[in-house]
Amino acid sequence: MDQKRVLLIVGGGIAAYKSLELTRLLRKAGVGVRPILTRAGSEFVTALSLSALAEDKVYSELFSLTDEAEMGHIELSRSADLVVVAPATADLMAKAANGLAGDLASTTLLATDKPVLMAPAMNVRMWEHAATQRNLSVLKADGVSFVGPDEGAMACGEYGPGRMAEPAAIFSAIMAALGGGAKPLAGKRAIVTAGPTVEAIDPVRMLTNRSSGKQGYAIASALAALGAEVTLVSGPTALPAPAGVKRVDVESARDMLAACEAALPADIAVCVAAVADWRPATAGEQKIKRDGKAPDAIALVENPDILATLSQGKRRPKLVIGFAAETNDLDAHAKAKLARKGCDWIVANDVSVAGTMGGDDNAVALVTKGGIERWERMAKGDVARRLADRISQEFK
Ligand code: C5P
């Protein structure tokens, strides 16, 4: 990584402080950081802090005689291997999506011929606004990559998507984009299932569950970052496909199993999806009419068990990992599940802890035939990276 360089554009948002930590992580990894601090950004962090951590000069002005004399802004836009915008404010995204170039940051984004990675950060309503979502689509179509935003409590007191991804997650995305870092899973194929399944009752009604898909998506992303060729078989979620991962969208458990089998042979399978245990015995072709009276019952039949099928199949991946969401007797249930399903490891999480389902953190225990390892509570992205790391050790 020693020769790699990042041009880091720090926009104006409360999350700008996280970019200082990001700068520190990058420098520690030997990546060069040349910072651009927007005027709004300088309301949140100082050029002095940024410059000290980056060990480089901070650029701020488009029409600065000294900056232009030292390095013209066109040169600046091309001096790095990757341009990172963190925080990417609604304003910076709008400017970049529309090709505006009224200041140094936006001019750099327009003039660069290098890949661009944005870490959006803004109020949830601003993020969800049609204009921002439109700009997001335009930027994606223009080839810009994104990390985050995360969902959670915001500095403005609201809750929802809009928080900037944590520095460690942005750092991983940068390392992946720079093509650096060790690739211990290069040449290995992995299947990851994620999200809920949807089982039709009739053309408009369904049985489903509250899985957000976050943990599975993070695992797919972490495996890809270590060089694995990942197929992410996903039920409906609100998440973007992680960079470098092939996503196959499915709805029912049966479709999910078929998509997994189509992705075989594989070296690794990680079943994170919350698969519906049962589905309606018959899915009406027509919408069931009210007819003044509720149906007495909806008859259910069992769904295939994807984890067990993959574990016990002829083309079994070398390493098969299941998840167990438990509310009590975590260890005993996880061990029993290991034996019943025939998989190698179970990652057990206690979903009785408030905020685990759909939240950003997870406290898990890794259950293998050798014993139980408890991991401290951490972000789902960190659980994913640690698991991917453990997986790579199996392939040494
Ligand atoms: O006990 P349970 O069957 O819910 O075990 C959960 C584990 O099994 C998870 O890894 C989940 O993805 C997987 N599973 C599956 N297919 C099912 C049910 C669960 O792959 N039909």
Side-chain angles (χ1 to χ4, degrees):
M1 280 291 114
D2 275 349
Q3 278 81 44
K4 299 285 185 187
R5 303 180 69 90
V6 161
L7 186 69
L8 175 65
I9 299 176
V10 180
I14 187 69
Y17 76 93
K18 293 187 189 173
S19 298
L20 297 177
E21 171 65 4
L22 173 65
T23 303
R24 198 187 63 77
L25 290 174
L26 288 167
R27 292 299 299 128
K28 210 170 102 190
V31 177
V33 179
R34 175 156 287 156
I36 291 181
L37 183 60
T38 67
R39 187 161 299 166
S42 69
E43 299 287 337
F44 295 89
V45 293
T46 69
L48 194 58
S49 318
L50 201 52
S51 169
L53 288 164
E55 300 166 79
D56 200 351
K57 178 181 156 62
V58 172
Y59 293 80
S60 294
E61 298 299 330
L62 182 55
F63 301 115
S64 148
L65 193 56
T66 25
D67 289 0
E68 287 297 301
E70 278 173 16
M71 181 181 293
H73 60 268
I74 300 295
E75 184 66 26
L76 187 61
S77 72
R78 295 175 184 182
S79 64
D81 300 288
L82 176 72
V83 181
V84 177
V85 190
T89 59
D91 181 64
L92 276 171
M93 283 178 62
K95 283 178 175 149
N98 290 285
L100 295 184
D103 55 21
L104 183 61
S106 54
T107 301
T108 304
L109 286 166
L110 194 61
T112 192
D113 57 356
K114 294 294 159 36
V116 177
L117 173 73
M118 292 192 170
M122 67 197 72
N123 165 273
V124 54
R125 285 173 219 284
M126 292 169 76
W127 173 251
E128 285 173 350
H129 195 285
T132 303
Q133 291 302 311
R134 196 164 53 237
N135 293 333
L136 176 67
S137 308
V138 169
L139 290 167
K140 280 187 176 167
D142 289 348
V144 173
S145 312
F146 285 84
V147 50
D150 290 347
E151 189 174 318
M154 317 202 74
C156 52
E158 290 186 78
Y159 187 94
R163 266 165 57 128
M164 188 165 88
E166 292 305 318
I170 304 174
F171 173 76
S172 300
I174 291 173
M175 295 312 253
L178 290 175
K183 301 278 182 212
L185 292 176
K188 301 288 176 234
R189 289 165 59 95
I191 300 170
V192 179
T193 71
T197 61
V198 164
E199 308 294 339
I201 296 172
D202 68 18
V204 296
R205 302 183 180 94
M206 63 197 189
L207 290 180
T208 187
N209 60 66
R210 292 186 193 280
S211 170
S212 65
K214 284 179 186 170
Q215 186 64 82
Y217 275 57
I219 289 168
S221 171
L223 290 171
L226 296 188
E229 190 189 315
V230 182
T231 303
L232 172 63
V233 183
S234 174
T237 71
L239 304 171
V245 163
K246 179 182 174 205
R247 184 171 84 183
V248 180
D249 291 316
V250 296
E251 293 210 330
S252 70
R254 287 179 296 174
D255 291 347
M256 187 173 271
L257 176 59
C260 288
E261 288 182 326
L264 288 172
D267 304 281
I268 304 152
V270 191
C271 294
V272 198
V275 183
D277 293 312
W278 315 283
R279 67 173 181 276
T282 51
E285 300 237 318
Q286 316 270 308
K287 184 179 168 195
I288 302 167
K289 291 275 178 281
R290 272 168 67 178
D291 286 342
K293 166 175 171 296
D296 293 332
I298 297 173
L300 300 175
V301 293
E302 199 153 343
N303 259 333
D305 189 316
I306 298 164
L307 174 60
T309 309
L310 292 176
S311 297
Q312 294 158 28
K314 275 208 184 80
R315 292 188 293 165
R316 185 192 200 278
K318 178 170 178 259
L319 185 64
V320 184
I321 304 171
F323 269 65
E326 303 286 357
T327 52
N328 60 305
D329 292 336
L330 204 83
D331 303 2
H333 284 148
K335 277 197 158 157
K337 197 161 292 179
L338 200 62
R340 194 172 68 243
K341 304 260 189 178
C343 58
D344 300 295
W345 300 351
I346 286 275
V347 181
N349 56 338
D350 186 350
V351 289
S352 68
V353 178
T356 302
M357 272 309 253
D360 292 321
D361 289 347
N362 213 349
V364 306
L366 179 63
V367 184
T368 67
K369 279 154 201 148
I372 297 174
E373 244 178 67
R374 271 171 221 293
W375 295 358
E376 66 276 13
R377 189 172 186 79
M378 57 182 104
K380 286 181 175 171
D382 293 331
V383 169
R385 276 183 287 278
R386 188 147 159 192
L387 185 67
D389 216 49
R390 284 296 305 265
I391 291 172
S392 70
Q393 285 167 24
E394 294 295 303
F395 290 89
K396 272 198 173 144

